[in-house]
Amino acid sequence: MRVGVFGASGFLGSWICRVLSEDHYVSAILRTTSSEFRLQNIDNISIRRINDSELENFFNSFAFDVLILCDWEGVSNVERNKPEQLENVERQLHVAKLAIAAGIESIVGIGSQAELGPTYGPISDSHKDGATTSYGKAKIAARLALQEVSELTQTRFIWLRVFSTYGPLDTGNWLIPQVVDSILAGREILLTKCEQNWNYLHAYDLARAVKFVIEDSGSSGVFNVGDLQTVKLKKLMKYIGEVLNAEDLLKFGVIEYRHDQVMELNPRCEKLVGLGWEPLISLNEGINQTIIWLKGEDQKPVLNKYSHELFFSLPNRS
């Protein structure tokens, strides 16, 4: 299959390229200013730097079967209520229309748990929308717009509602890398009480989910993509502190919860599981791997749930 990954330089996009390139012809579609750091050491991949003005000719020149839309501006917490979030909807719809006009067969959009807002209990694939942030509302708008244009043109449409992910190649202000980096620097980490029942899926297993749905010709619509088990957030934070011998730096209960704080993430991934997908990397195994990568140490094989070794040729942290 010829797959184009739009926004391939990001954390999830790069993992998707890494996994799909094992069996498919993958083009990583980047803006001219994007870094190729996360795409290093991936075999059988073509990196294409494209200006917006070149997109139409680009899609007409490459007969892609599948387009995966990972590109999104403003994913950090401080940007999630900016009105510019809606610009993502316009851009993704524009790109999808150009790809459809060029004859693409399938469009895959990357959604978010933010579409749901605070939830309690199991979350089905058909769970109703309830976004409380501009980011979540924009994701809903993107899903509906892409779904409509796909239906009108009889293009297969898949929307992956992604819950919290983690793993090597993730940096910045997300909780796990932020906690690890703070401990490595000897700084105290100010936390909430961390009473949430949370859900963390390794990015490798997210990318495998993408592979499962695009390879199944009957797959369409919304798919939850999350781990099949939840974890108490405080337990996870303590595990990281224990691995790094620095539990004393974790200061629980200092920060108040947000007014719309989600306290439980419990996705049910029935449609994915029905395809034969399951997460292969346990949380503890994945956290150990992530810590090693964040420390800049040589990577070691990861044991999957069947005790088989997985080795990823990842670039060293820059």
Side-chain angles (χ1 to χ4, degrees), residues 84-200:
E84 290 81 4
Q85 288 288 344
L86 289 175
E87 295 175 6
N88 292 294
V89 182
E90 297 173 5
R91 184 169 61 254
Q92 290 205 345
L93 184 59
H94 173 66
V95 172
K97 285 180 176 179
L98 292 176
I100 290 171
I104 203 145
E105 298 175 1
S106 302
I107 299 286
V108 179
I110 304 298
S112 168
Q113 67 202 40
E115 299 166 46
L116 306 175
T119 60
Y120 298 93
I123 301 169
S124 69
D125 294 300
S126 59
H127 198 94
K128 66 179 182 179
D129 297 328
T132 59
T133 64
S134 297
Y135 170 73
K137 293 172 183 177
K139 281 289 187 181
I140 294 170
R143 184 188 77 227
L144 296 177
L146 292 170
Q147 181 178 13
E148 181 179 22
V149 72
S150 297
E151 289 176 352
L152 289 173
T153 56
Q154 296 184 324
T155 304
R156 182 168 69 134
F157 174 64
I158 297 167
W159 185 260
L160 302 179
R161 185 192 288 133
V162 178
F163 291 75
S164 294
T165 54
Y166 75 100
L169 304 179
D170 194 12
T171 57
N173 293 323
W174 299 110
L175 182 60
I176 290 174
Q178 186 178 38
V179 168
V180 173
D181 284 344
S182 293
I183 289 177
L184 293 177
R187 297 192 302 266
E188 292 184 345
I189 304 100
L190 306 184
L191 299 162
T192 67
K193 293 180 180 179
C194 293
E195 300 163 306
Q196 301 96 310
N197 287 316
W198 214 247
N199 188 280
Y200 274 110

Side-chain angles (χ1 to χ4, degrees), residues 55-305:
L55 281 172
E56 184 173 2
N57 287 336
F58 172 72
F59 283 122
N60 287 330
S61 300
F62 290 86
F64 291 117
D65 301 302
V66 179
L67 177 66
I68 301 172
L69 296 169
C70 299
D71 183 52
W72 195 276
E73 290 284 340
V75 297
S76 68
N77 287 328
V78 296
E79 299 173 292
R80 291 202 165 196
N81 277 308
K82 290 187 175 180
E84 290 81 4
Q85 288 288 344
L86 289 175
E87 295 175 6
N88 292 294
V89 182
E90 297 173 5
R91 184 169 61 254
Q92 290 205 345
L93 184 59
H94 173 66
V95 172
K97 285 180 176 179
L98 292 176
I100 290 171
I104 203 145
E105 298 175 1
S106 302
I107 299 286
V108 179
I110 304 298
S112 168
Q113 67 202 40
E115 299 166 46
L116 306 175
T119 60
Y120 298 93
I123 301 169
S124 69
D125 294 300
S126 59
H127 198 94
K128 66 179 182 179
D129 297 328
T132 59
T133 64
S134 297
Y135 170 73
K137 293 172 183 177
K139 281 289 187 181
I140 294 170
R143 184 188 77 227
L144 296 177
L146 292 170
Q147 181 178 13
E148 181 179 22
V149 72
S150 297
E151 289 176 352
L152 289 173
T153 56
Q154 296 184 324
T155 304
R156 182 168 69 134
F157 174 64
I158 297 167
W159 185 260
L160 302 179
R161 185 192 288 133
V162 178
F163 291 75
S164 294
T165 54
Y166 75 100
L169 304 179
D170 194 12
T171 57
N173 293 323
W174 299 110
L175 182 60
I176 290 174
Q178 186 178 38
V179 168
V180 173
D181 284 344
S182 293
I183 289 177
L184 293 177
R187 297 192 302 266
E188 292 184 345
I189 304 100
L190 306 184
L191 299 162
T192 67
K193 293 180 180 179
C194 293
E195 300 163 306
Q196 301 96 310
N197 287 316
W198 214 247
N199 188 280
Y200 274 110
L201 181 71
H202 196 287
Y204 168 70
D205 284 317
L206 171 279
R208 289 180 52 254
V210 175
K211 186 174 187 293
F212 268 76
V213 296
I214 68 170
E215 291 179 351
D216 180 74
S217 60
S219 290
S220 64
V222 178
F223 286 76
N224 282 344
V225 186
D227 202 84
L228 303 183
Q229 297 181 344
T230 60
V231 61
K232 184 72 75 173
L233 195 56
K234 189 171 186 178
K235 180 180 179 181
L236 174 59
M237 294 297 100
K238 285 188 170 183
Y239 180 76
I240 293 173
E242 179 183 325
V243 171
L244 294 170
N245 297 312
E247 286 186 80
D248 58 308
L249 294 178
L250 301 172
K251 304 302 178 183
F252 295 102
V254 177
I255 298 176
E256 296 292 329
Y257 293 124
R258 288 195 333 237
H259 72 280
D260 60 347
Q261 177 66 55
V262 177
M263 296 301 295
E264 182 178 2
L265 275 186
N266 188 12
R268 291 289 181 261
C269 306
E270 291 102 336
K271 289 173 69 175
L272 262 181
V273 171
L275 297 178
W277 174 90
E278 60 178 336
L280 292 182
I281 299 180
S282 71
L283 185 56
N284 284 3
E285 190 75 10
I287 289 294
N288 293 342
Q289 178 206 26
T290 301
I291 289 173
I292 288 172
W293 185 83
L294 288 168
K295 291 171 71 175
E297 298 178 352
D298 292 338
Q299 289 284 297
K300 301 176 182 178
V302 178
L303 287 181
N304 70 15
K305 65 180 295 183

Side-chain angles (χ1 to χ4, degrees), residues 1-5 20 24-27 64-68 214:
M1 223 181 288
R2 294 171 64 90
V3 181
V5 181
L20 294 187
H24 301 283
Y25 179 83
V26 176
S27 288
F64 291 117
D65 301 302
V66 179
L67 177 66
I68 301 172
I214 68 170

